[in-house]
Amino acid sequence: MPDKIIFTADLHGKREHYEELFSLAENPGARTIIIGGDLTPHGYGLDGILKQRKFLTDFLVPRLDAFSAAAPGIEVFLMMGNDDWRVNMDVLRSNAGRSFRLLEAKGNVLADGTLLIGYPFVPITPFRLKDWEKWDKKLTGQENFFGLRSTEDGIEEISLEERKHEKLETDLLKISGEIEPHDFIFVSHSPPYGTLLDLISPESHVGSQSIREFLEKHSPRLSLHGHIHESPYVSKRYKEKLAGTLCVNPGQSFASKLHAVIFEAADPEGTISHTIFG
């Protein structure tokens, strides 16, 4: 049976969606689950940090352990997104390797040898949580430059206008220098700018120009995205070809069933299907 991958993002702590994901993985004989960011319930301030930490320690980590015990042949990869407090990464790092693996910029390797690279940072958003935000090459007019970042000592107020050295482009150039010239799958929480995957209205694109240029330069086999939940409903598309790369954003909705895509690792474009859109 061909190896199948299930990708989803933006579950935001909704346990029903996690249970749908685990059930979905058992039915098609999946070998890999990828969760591309925004793992935990929304929450601001110290209460939000503790709320998300409790979700990780009391639900997600033990639930992944139970899933791994029941389905030992399925690998799970995950990363945080812009709505997850970064200070809680220690929970994930201390438990990674047992029932799940963290998506890192240096990449992991799938069962078929494909390199898997993760990148959680996004362009500056209108939101206050700034742990995973950096400057992009293009502004959209939606930015809020002031907000909060988490530290081991608590929360600090920051101005991203004073941190223009923190750039998505710099990170992606570093990744470019580390990846070997072979096939890989790129998992970026932000979709590329100016596509069918980054629309919040018919004329408003809020994806990343730097990520777009990275994809155009390297042409990975596949790029997987999230972050803009509504984009498939605005554009009527959840996938698009960009410089030879199949780019996917399954979207997400808490009012309906899990939004996820399923595909065969060897032929994503020819085999991909969506849990809602078919």
Side-chain angles (χ1 to χ4, degrees):
M1 175 182 292
D3 290 346
K4 292 186 178 181
I5 297 175
I6 299 174
F7 172 75
T8 189
D10 304 297
L11 303 188
H12 288 280
K14 187 169 183 182
R15 299 188 183 199
E16 297 92 329
H17 278 4
Y18 278 101
E19 296 303 334
E20 287 181 77
L21 175 61
F22 298 137
S23 295
L24 185 65
E26 296 170 355
N27 291 330
R31 284 289 302 272
T32 307
I33 293 173
I34 301 172
I35 309 174
D38 284 357
L39 308 171
T40 59
H42 177 75
Y44 276 142
L46 289 174
D47 287 345
I49 291 176
L50 294 175
K51 177 182 178 181
Q52 291 189 2
R53 194 173 191 87
K54 181 176 176 61
F55 175 82
L56 294 173
T57 58
D58 292 3
F59 174 75
L60 187 56
V61 170
R63 185 64 185 89
L64 286 168
D65 286 344
F67 175 75
S68 179
I74 302 177
E75 285 191 300
V76 179
F77 296 87
L78 54 81
M79 69 183 187
M80 284 190 168
N82 65 290
D83 206 47
D84 299 314
W85 287 101
R86 192 174 184 179
V87 72
N88 291 326
M89 274 292 294
D90 67 307
V91 176
L92 296 179
R93 291 199 183 280
S94 63
N95 288 281
R98 188 173 64 239
S99 60
F100 65 91
R101 294 163 67 181
L102 282 175
L103 277 170
E104 305 279 7
K106 291 186 178 180
N108 293 280
V109 179
L110 297 178
D112 69 349
T114 303
L115 186 65
L116 185 65
I117 295 173
Y119 187 67
F121 289 94
V122 303
I124 300 170
T125 72
F127 312 121
R128 289 269 288 160
L129 203 167
K130 300 299 181 185
D131 276 351
W132 299 103
E133 295 184 12
K134 294 188 177 184
W135 280 81
D136 198 15
K137 298 181 75 171
K138 185 179 183 69
L139 296 179
T140 65
Q142 304 288 331
E143 293 84 2
N144 174 6
F145 297 102
F146 300 92
L148 306 171
R149 279 190 177 171
S150 61
T151 71
E152 292 182 357
D153 298 321
I155 295 177
E156 62 177 5
E157 293 268 358
I158 68 160
S159 166
L160 290 179
E161 289 185 327
E162 299 172 356
R163 300 192 181 210
K164 291 188 178 180
H165 62 284
E166 298 179 354
K167 298 179 180 179
L168 302 176
E169 179 185 16
T170 303
D171 290 349
L172 294 169
L173 284 172
K174 184 177 180 181
I175 293 173
S176 295
E178 293 175 347
I179 58 176
E180 298 179 9
H182 64 250
D183 204 8
F184 69 97
I185 293 174
F186 187 54
V187 185
S188 163
H189 190 57
S190 173
Y193 178 83
T195 63
L196 299 172
L197 311 180
D198 73 328
L199 285 163
I200 58 174
S201 73
E203 297 180 354
S204 187
H205 294 274
V206 291
S208 166
Q209 181 67 37
S210 298
I211 288 169
R212 181 186 180 112
E213 292 179 8
F214 176 85
L215 295 174
E216 290 174 335
K217 177 180 179 180
H218 294 287
S219 297
R221 181 196 312 181
L222 178 70
S223 69
L224 301 169
H225 310 278
H227 189 39
I228 312 303
H229 301 200
E230 65 270 38
S231 188
Y233 289 94
V234 176
S235 68
K236 311 302 181 187
R237 297 288 189 274
Y238 67 88
K239 55 189 172 74
E240 178 179 355
K241 292 292 287 291
L242 178 64
T245 294
L246 179 66
C247 305
V248 177
N249 175 8
Q252 202 57 261
S253 171
F254 300 135
S256 65
K257 294 183 178 180
L258 174 74
H259 287 49
V261 290
I262 307 168
F263 55 88
E264 294 177 9
D267 182 20
E269 186 173 2
T271 60
I272 194 165
S273 63
H274 194 290
T275 54
I276 304 297
F277 306 125

